[in-house]
Amino acid sequence: MKKNIVIIGGGAAGMMASIAAAENGHEVHVLEKNEKLGKKLFITGKGRCNVTNNCDVETLLKNVVSNPKFLYSAFYGFSSQDMMAFLQAAGLPLKTERGNRVFPVSDKSSDVLRTLEQEMKRRNVHIHLNCPVKSIQHESGGSWTVIARKDGQPFHLPADAVIVATGGLSYKATGSTGDGYAFAKEAGHKITETMPSLVPLTVSEPWCSRLMGLSLKNVKIRLSSGKKLLYEDFGEMLFTHYGVSGPLILSGSAYVMAALSRNKPVTLSVDLKPALSDKQLDARILRDFDSVKNRHFANSLSALLPAKLIPVIIELSGIDGTKQVNEVSREERAALVSLLKDLRMTISGARDYSEAVITRGGVSVKEVNPSTMESRLVKGLYFAGEVLDVDALTGGFNLQIAWSTAWAAGTAAGERL
């Protein structure tokens, strides 16, 4: 029997949920508050759209920060390989880049959106744009009424199942304003504390702003709170006018937000030369000094460090910049080595949701069935994507969470009916 499935939100999760739900021939409606689908998807990966990560399920799970066990069934039910196969079968060529990141060959997120819309239309999904949902009502017979406004007019839609795929709070300009949390609360669900994640961090040290625009490649960072190591990795980071950003920092932020929200101190340590031991770095500095014997210390580091970083390192080293290199003592050299291997900054906070890639926290996964994404509290209510309390590192993992949970929700909603 043909039934009505209503999906709230036309982003990545909403579009994929509609495709899965329509597989069984049900009538599927997607209600999107914006004037077009997939506004956030359009800007992901700097407009290139990192659709997933070309890895196995165990690697997917290792890159999930919050509640990875909850995603076990969803990832095995619809893996990154399944997503790639789906897009390619729909006519979108893909490529895999560094870190197994998957992009459309065209480097255009608009092509991903077009492919998803084409698959929705092929399955006769009804798309309602400029249609913000105000509330969802659970009727006595177990059905639902979705109350919205369409083009400024009241719009009521009966539903046998409702899938909430409204996203989180990050990038409010794309329509992510936390609506789904309100719908979940209405239905009796608990919302775990929300905070920005995969977000640039602010730094206390004033010298940091002088390095604005400087990108450091092949460095190692450590983020700690007291003696507790929160995160460490090797890669690329960027200095900004307020602190630090770049791939390493964004991933690291996922592990420090809890400490920052509780006002615990967080320290960032950067190893500028991770390929060299202290002894090897000292020998390298000696060789550099030897090649510029009569120069001042301030003019001796150009082969070792980026030009923008040199004045800051000289200042922090405590070594007089006008001192000739052959007069720099062994102790001063040891202090310089120590500084280059452990450049420290105090993390004072994080930027807000407008700069966060994703939201941490959301609908408590304890109250959601991990196989179907259906509410354990109310029959016929499902959740998909960022509205759930699950988040991962950068590299296509968060979009895969959206695809997998949406596929589970859409399939289960269709099969249940």
Side-chain angles (χ1 to χ4, degrees), residues 208-272:
C208 194
S209 61
R210 286 159 52 194
L211 300 175
M212 181 175 74
L214 174 64
S215 178
L216 297 177
K217 292 180 180 177
N218 304 320
V219 295
K220 184 180 179 182
I221 71 160
R222 290 168 65 89
L223 284 156
S224 311
S225 183
K227 290 182 179 176
K228 186 180 179 185
L229 177 66
L230 302 173
Y231 175 82
E232 68 176 337
D233 205 358
F234 174 88
E236 189 176 339
M237 64 172 284
L238 171 74
F239 286 97
T240 64
H241 65 284
Y242 51 76
V244 284
S245 187
L248 272 182
I249 300 298
L250 295 185
S251 288
S253 75
Y255 295 91
V256 303
M257 292 306 297
L260 291 173
S261 71
R262 289 164 182 74
N263 295 316
K264 289 187 176 176
V266 175
T267 303
L268 167 65
S269 164
V270 181
D271 183 346
L272 295 164

Side-chain angles (χ1 to χ4, degrees), residues 272 278 281-282 285 289 297 301 304 312-320 328-344:
L272 295 164
D278 289 24
L281 182 54
D282 186 45
I285 291 167
F289 282 2
F297 173 59
L301 300 175
L304 191 66
V312 169
I313 291 296
I314 287 165
E315 189 179 299
L316 295 175
S317 74
I319 303 169
D320 183 351
V328 174
S329 69
R330 179 184 291 178
E331 290 73 24
E332 286 174 323
R333 249 185 17 254
L336 176 61
V337 166
S338 180
L339 177 64
L340 297 176
K341 297 288 287 177
D342 184 13
L343 178 61
R344 290 196 178 200

